[in-house]
Amino acid sequence: MHQTSPRKGVTLIEISLVIGIIIILVSTTGIGISFYKDWSKGLAAGEDLKAVYQAQKLLLADNPTIQVTAIQSNDPTTPSTYIIPYLPNNMTAIPSVTDLDGGNRTITITVSPPVLSGDYDPSPPGDNSVWDAGK
């Protein structure tokens, strides 16, 4: 009588199924990482804006005769030199922000609260500004 031995190895269908699952997992991870990078840029922009806003409020509290519109960012003859010591973490200049396209945005400190140059708002639709970015 002819005796059959147990099957060894894997079939083409099993290999294809495993490869398909791996491809789905890798693509899902890549999409998640992209969203995380955008979220972290928005969060960093919001934190920088809040830091400058706090420095601006402290400067104006200590110097009530200075107008917000008189604070310039790069002119040594204006009160901008006063705002630098109020920035947290020993910052030596007003920070700039990287937008989602890799460009640099500057923070305008002549208004309160400070704003970013250009049209930049990484917040989801329905939110009002970069101030709520990263939530």
Side-chain angles (χ1 to χ4, degrees), residues 43-64:
L43 182 62
E47 288 174 352
D48 285 343
L49 274 174
K50 288 175 187 173
V52 171
Y53 185 45
Q54 288 296 326
Q56 190 183 63
K57 288 191 322 184
L58 290 170
L59 168 68
L60 295 173
D62 286 349
N63 303 286

Side-chain angles (χ1 to χ4, degrees), residues 43-101:
L43 182 62
E47 288 174 352
D48 285 343
L49 274 174
K50 288 175 187 173
V52 171
Y53 185 45
Q54 288 296 326
Q56 190 183 63
K57 288 191 322 184
L58 290 170
L59 168 68
L60 295 173
D62 286 349
N63 303 286
T65 59
I66 295 176
Q67 298 294 318
V68 174
T69 55
I71 304 171
Q72 300 294 321
S73 58
N74 292 321
D75 185 358
T77 63
T78 64
S80 67
T81 54
Y82 300 138
I83 201 169
I84 303 297
Y86 292 98
L87 291 171
N89 302 325
N90 298 322
M91 290 181 179
T92 58
I94 304 295
S96 63
V97 174
T98 304
D99 64 18
L100 300 180
D101 298 326

